Amino acid sequence: MIPNCFRHRHAIKKVGRAEQKNQSPCVLWFTGLSGSGKSTLAGAVDEYLFDLGCHSYLMDGDNVRYGLNRDLALSDEDRAENIRRIGEVSKLFVDAGLITLCAFISPFAKDRNRVRSVLDSGEFIEVHVSTPLEECKQRDPKGLYKKALKGDIHNFTGLDGVYEVPVRPEITIDTTGSTPFECAEVIVEYLRNKRMIPDMGNVSMGM
Ligand SMILES: Nc1ncnc2c1ncn2[C@@H]1O[C@H](COP(=O)(O)OS(=O)(=O)O)[C@@H](OP(=O)(O)O)[C@H]1O
Ligand SMILES: Nc1ncnc2c1ncn2[C@@H]1O[C@H](COP(=O)(O)OP(=O)(O)O)[C@@H](O)[C@H]1O
């Protein structure tokens, strides 16, 4: 309760927006180590959904840190605030009827569970991108593991920083040895099976 602030009840509701878009809005929450494939995979799912005519939007850790969360660093406290804010933004996007894709390391179970708790039942779909640390280190797409192992970055997730593995994620996907498109198909199939998107056949992408 905030003093002197009152909630407005607007005429157009989440259910109406979802019906108009012919889909069940939800949050696909990609969590995993740096280099596990969160951004690449979330991007592939976003493209797949776009080509199917679904309405989605992708929020990515690195990008959000250039704008909305530019005041936050990577201390444990700032990471918690990062995820809290993204959780609230995701709730707004779900209210707008969108399939919302979030790609954040989100190392702490408490922070991920808080996002789950601000959404309605079934709306939070936790996708653990479980690619092993050794594979992530080998990929090292941004050269961050190299820097962290040299001691130039501290509290690096998976090395000297904590990553709490999800206990009961809706989806677990190790991207080792598969293409982003193959991994994206697994996630789109999950949405189809749950009847969250219409069954409109497959798309073919040059990935
Ligand atoms: N100490 C440390 N540990 C892990 N990652 C680090 C660190 N410092 C910078 N980076 C880079 O910041 C990106 C993490 O941003 P996130 O918003 O996803 O992190 S978090 O969810 O708030 O923990 C992360 O993005 P990804 O590599 O895409 O995962 C890194 O590029
Ligand atoms: N099946 C796959 N899905 C996602 N990324 C993959 C896959 N196979 C290989 N990769 C590579 O792994 C790296 C993942 O980087 P990125 O998506 O930035 O990870 P994260 O967002 O988790 O830090 C990229 O270089 C990507 O090309």
Side-chain angles (χ1 to χ4, degrees):
M1 226 0 207
I2 300 167
N4 305 321
C5 283
F6 301 88
R7 280 184 192 273
H8 287 272
R9 303 277 168 212
H10 293 291
I12 301 177
K13 304 275 190 268
K14 176 162 71 178
V15 65
R17 294 184 195 278
E19 273 171 21
Q20 188 192 48
K21 294 180 177 58
N22 197 23
Q23 63 185 26
S24 300
C26 60
V27 174
L28 285 164
W29 188 277
F30 297 83
T31 170
L33 300 174
S34 177
S36 59
K38 301 179 299 295
S39 302
T40 306
L41 175 54
V45 175
D46 197 27
E47 270 189 68
Y48 202 128
L49 292 173
F50 186 89
D51 288 349
L52 288 174
C54 298
H55 303 264
S56 56
Y57 191 74
L58 166 58
M59 284 190 283
D60 184 276
D62 283 317
N63 297 351
V64 169
R65 284 177 174 279
Y66 277 100
L68 176 69
N69 289 348
R70 67 193 313 161
D71 57 321
L72 300 177
L74 282 122
S75 65
D76 292 355
E77 297 71 31
D78 280 7
R79 290 180 196 238
E81 176 60 10
N82 184 36
I83 301 311
R84 188 195 68 78
R85 288 185 200 170
I86 297 308
E88 292 295 336
V89 176
S90 300
K91 187 178 165 71
L92 295 176
F93 283 179
V94 167
D95 198 49
L98 297 175
I99 297 172
T100 309
L101 302 110
C102 295
F104 294 87
I105 295 179
S106 42
F108 300 111
K110 181 162 71 72
D111 300 331
R112 298 190 300 260
N113 290 338
R114 184 161 57 176
V115 180
R116 189 186 284 275
S117 73
V118 299
L119 294 162
D120 288 342
S121 168
E123 285 178 347
F124 185 80
I125 300 165
E126 191 169 30
V127 182
H128 178 209
V129 185
S130 63
T131 314
L133 177 64
E134 284 313 311
E135 172 73 14
C136 298
K137 271 195 214 168
Q138 241 172 30
R139 289 181 183 174
D140 203 5
K142 300 169 196 156
L144 295 176
Y145 283 97
K146 203 165 158 212
K147 278 193 192 170
L149 288 166
K150 263 194 358 194
D152 292 346
I153 307 177
H154 298 289
N155 195 22
F156 195 82
T157 310
L159 299 180
D160 58 338
V162 172
Y163 180 76
E164 294 174 356
V165 172
V167 180
R168 270 184 296 278
E170 278 72 9
I171 302 172
T172 300
I173 196 153
D174 176 351
T175 64
T176 316
S178 307
T179 66
F181 181 68
E182 286 165 342
C183 297
E185 274 190 314
V186 171
I187 290 165
V188 171
E189 204 45 37
Y190 176 94
L191 296 176
R192 278 207 188 101
N193 287 338
K194 295 269 174 196
R195 303 194 185 288
M196 299 179 84
I197 56 172
D199 197 350
M200 293 173 293
N202 294 316
V203 295
S204 58
M205 287 195 290
M207 282 194 275

